[in-house]
Amino acid sequence: MVRLPYLTALTTLFSYGLLFAFGHFRDFFRRILDAGKSSNLKGYAPICLGYEDFYTRRLYLRIQDCFGRPIASAPDAWFDVVERQSNDGNKTLQRTTKTSKCLNLGSYNYLGFAAADEYCTPRVIESLKKYSASTCSARVDGGNTKLHTELEELVARFVGKPAAILFGMGYVTNSAIIPILIGKGGLIVSDSLNHISIVNGARGSGATVRVFQHNNPAHLEDVLREQIAGGQPRTHRPWKKIIVIVEGIYSMEGELCNLPEIMAVCKKYKAYTYLDEAHSIGAVGKTGRGVCELLGVDPADVDIMMGTFTKSFGSCGGYIAASKEIIHHLKHACPAHIYATSMSPPAVQQVISAIKVVLGEDGSNRGAKKLAQIRENSNFFRSELQKMGFEVLGDNDSPVMPIMLYNPAKIPAFSRECLRQNVAVVTVAFPATPLLLARARICISASQSREDLIKGLEVISKVGDLIGIKYFPVEQEKIASVDKLKKIE
């Protein structure tokens, strides 16, 4: 839950107001100066109207060097960030030949599989030699290898469902699957902070969409009760089906889903459940099986389980795990399966190898060590940030920890100063978050040592003092008072 201080909200609103005012002021004079110039549109309407891309032109471009930074190495605990420069006030950026070795606090590499691995890498190289980089075909045509079938069976066994289906992109897994599961006459009840892939999938389905307050089972029950009582719009007929969609770990908040309580509500009102485990599968739970394992929920009770291979397994793509009947339906009805090129065989082999390491089927205990390390690293880093006085969102065990920045001027200040001190972070602002709730999203990896984390904490603490984002100094005062008592004793 974000605790936005009144003064911070006021200064943030004032900052955005100032930016918008000066932006419109500059647009006004630009229209006057360009009034006499001939248009190159030759009768065509402009694709991007002035007000439609105002935010991009007048706000984003000023700080675009903080986003989309190219890298020149594997996204391991440390990686090489390519330096860029601009000669036109940040409108365009040019890459230089220089790179900076930085601590990686931005990549999703939760279990450290994105870099070279003693078990995964040789097998991926072998699959590349055998199958090439692409099947150049859809699964239903000539793009179905034995690796794809093996991974589907392995994923189903790993998450505890009867069957699974693969997709080449995590975003598409949600946006293409939801319209196949439900359509007109159906009801989708979605968490207010669900990922945009879920939002777009729900919009494209043709079903009625209702939103419940983030992670609030009581409000979910109110919404379900009201919608079931009212029925479909205008006709008031009963809904054909109802699907409740939640995430295991919310990617911009780092919070765990209140899954047991939400499942109880869904069972009570006979609503199907759709669980997005993009950030939780492989990252949480004693054996890496996600929030169901962590929170004690039987996977058999969750109707549709979605996940991606981009976070914990160092690859690409996503999956849906469900009953054999649902998977059979998806394989014959989903355009993303029928028409899209299948996952690259080396990417499939990477996931197979990574899951086998996690399960201990590689003949070692490295998987268990990685799971223990990501849990220890995440909880250590979170607790230290809180002690320093930062406002950190999320729950224990979550490897995602947003640090609230709020003010637009602090977004580039935090990002640039961290980079200057060789720490690479990801800053997130509107439209990915609400306008007033800009943040830096820290992602922790099992590949990082305690020394790496301490280095990151030292830099973030210095930058936090410099730009004034330690909104809860009471924690620091408590630590200081405890230290004084210890000295006295």
Side-chain angles (χ1 to χ4, degrees):
M1 183 68 181
V2 179
R3 296 171 289 174
L4 181 58
Y6 178 77
L7 182 60
T8 302
L10 193 64
T11 55
T12 302
L13 280 170
F14 178 78
S15 298
Y16 275 112
L18 204 62
L19 285 168
F20 273 88
F22 273 95
H24 284 294
F25 190 67
R26 294 180 68 180
D27 277 0
F28 174 74
F29 280 100
R30 173 56 58 191
R31 284 194 294 272
I32 293 176
L33 293 173
D34 291 346
K37 296 181 181 179
S38 60
S39 174
N40 294 323
L41 294 173
K42 298 178 180 179
Y44 289 94
I47 291 178
C48 295
L49 299 176
Y51 291 111
E52 290 176 353
D53 66 342
F54 175 83
Y55 182 86
T56 301
R57 289 184 294 102
R58 296 306 185 195
L59 281 80
Y60 172 79
L61 288 182
R62 298 170 67 128
I63 60 172
Q64 71 163 323
D65 60 297
C66 300
F67 306 99
R69 288 177 176 141
I71 63 173
S73 65
D76 205 355
W78 291 77
F79 62 177
D80 297 326
V81 178
V82 179
E83 296 182 13
R84 296 178 293 178
Q85 63 184 16
S86 177
N87 299 319
D88 54 7
N90 245 24
K91 288 183 179 178
T92 59
L93 296 169
Q94 290 81 38
R95 297 185 185 187
T96 68
T97 56
K98 298 179 182 178
T99 60
S100 300
K101 194 170 187 63
C102 297
L103 177 64
N104 182 5
L105 293 179
S107 298
Y108 302 135
N109 186 24
Y110 296 146
L111 294 183
F113 284 117
D117 182 84
E118 62 187 71
Y119 182 82
C120 300
T121 306
R123 287 160 176 78
V124 171
I125 293 172
E126 185 61 33
S127 70
L128 176 62
K129 293 177 180 178
K130 183 176 181 179
Y131 294 102
S132 84
S134 173
T135 64
C136 298
S137 183
R139 288 283 300 278
V140 298
D141 297 325
N144 190 25
T145 70
K146 68 175 185 179
L147 292 179
H148 293 85
T149 304
E150 181 184 352
L151 180 55
E152 286 179 338
E153 293 172 355
L154 184 58
V155 166
R157 176 162 62 90
F158 183 63
V159 302
K161 300 297 285 185
I165 182 174
L166 307 180
F167 296 93
M169 182 181 180
Y171 175 91
V172 168
T173 307
N174 277 329
S175 60
I177 281 294
I178 294 172
I180 305 303
L181 294 172
I182 191 169
K184 188 176 181 181
L187 173 67
I188 295 174
V189 184
S190 180
D191 187 287
S192 61
L193 295 183
N194 274 340
H195 191 264
I196 188 65
S197 60
I198 296 174
V199 173
N200 287 344
R203 286 173 178 169
S205 69
T208 300
V209 181
R210 294 291 180 266
V211 175
F212 69 96
Q213 293 171 5
H214 173 57
N215 235 357
N216 189 334
H219 188 246
L220 169 62
E221 183 168 11
D222 291 342
V223 172
L224 284 172
R225 187 190 299 116
E226 179 184 350
Q227 293 302 316
I228 291 172
Q232 296 183 39
R234 294 193 301 275
T235 65
H236 302 292
R237 292 174 180 171
W239 299 103
K240 292 181 179 178
K241 68 181 84 167
I242 301 174
I243 298 181
V244 174
I245 306 179
V246 294
E247 295 185 36
I249 292 178
Y250 290 87
S251 58
M252 288 300 168
E253 283 68 37
E255 295 177 0
L256 296 168
C257 174
N258 289 331
L259 193 58
E261 295 88 343
I262 287 173
M263 288 300 304
V265 173
C266 291
K267 284 184 178 181
K268 181 178 178 180
Y269 292 92
K270 310 303 180 188
Y272 292 109
T273 49
Y274 183 110
L275 175 63
D276 179 339
E277 288 217 83
H279 286 267
S280 54
I281 192 67
V284 297
K286 186 177 180 181
T287 61
R289 286 176 165 86
V291 290
C292 287
E293 181 179 50
L294 181 68
L295 302 177
V297 173
D298 187 350
D301 292 337
V302 182
D303 299 291
I304 298 107
M305 299 178 73
M306 175 270 180
T308 64
F309 304 128
T310 53
K311 280 74 176 178
S312 295
F313 306 114
S315 187
C316 63
Y319 68 85
I320 293 290
S323 66
K324 290 182 179 180
E325 292 76 15
I326 292 175
I327 298 303
H328 179 78
H329 170 64
L330 295 179
K331 286 185 175 181
H332 289 82
C334 182
H337 175 77
I338 298 171
Y339 300 109
T341 302
S342 61
M343 277 182 68
S344 168
V348 175
Q349 181 61 60
Q350 168 66 27
V351 183
I352 292 172
S353 302
I355 293 179
K356 286 184 175 180
V357 172
V358 172
L359 291 172
E361 294 179 5
D362 64 327
S364 74
N365 64 345
R366 289 196 307 122
K369 287 182 177 179
K370 284 177 177 288
L371 291 167
Q373 191 67 47
I374 183 63
R375 185 163 51 249
E376 181 183 332
N377 285 358
S378 299
N379 292 338
F380 168 74
F381 206 85
R382 183 185 302 279
S383 64
E384 291 302 310
L385 287 174
Q386 290 170 339
K387 289 175 185 177
M388 291 173 182
F390 291 102
E391 183 176 3
V392 185
L393 304 186
D395 298 314
N396 285 337
D397 288 354
S398 170
V400 182
M401 48 200 76
I403 301 174
M404 298 308 297
L405 302 176
Y406 297 117
N407 197 288
K410 294 179 180 181
I411 300 169
F414 184 81
S415 179
R416 291 166 181 164
E417 190 60 28
C418 283
L419 186 65
R420 194 180 69 81
Q421 299 187 46
N422 298 107
V423 173
V425 297
V426 170
T427 49
V428 187
F430 180 85
T433 66
L435 190 64
L436 301 185
L437 302 181
R439 63 200 67 181
R441 184 177 66 175
I442 305 297
C443 291
I444 299 300
S445 172
S447 64
Q448 291 157 343
S449 65
R450 182 57 61 93
E451 291 73 22
D452 294 335
L453 299 179
I454 291 172
K455 157 72 175 175
L457 287 165
E458 288 174 350
V459 170
I460 290 174
S461 181
K462 290 177 184 176
V463 176
D465 288 328
L466 181 66
I467 67 174
I469 58 172
K470 293 184 177 179
Y471 297 108
F472 298 104
V474 64
E475 292 290 338
Q476 293 176 302
E477 293 169 8
K478 286 179 182 178
I479 298 298
S481 62
V482 169
D483 290 341
K484 283 184 181 180
L485 287 172
K486 285 182 179 179
K487 288 179 181 179
I488 293 170
E489 290 173 356

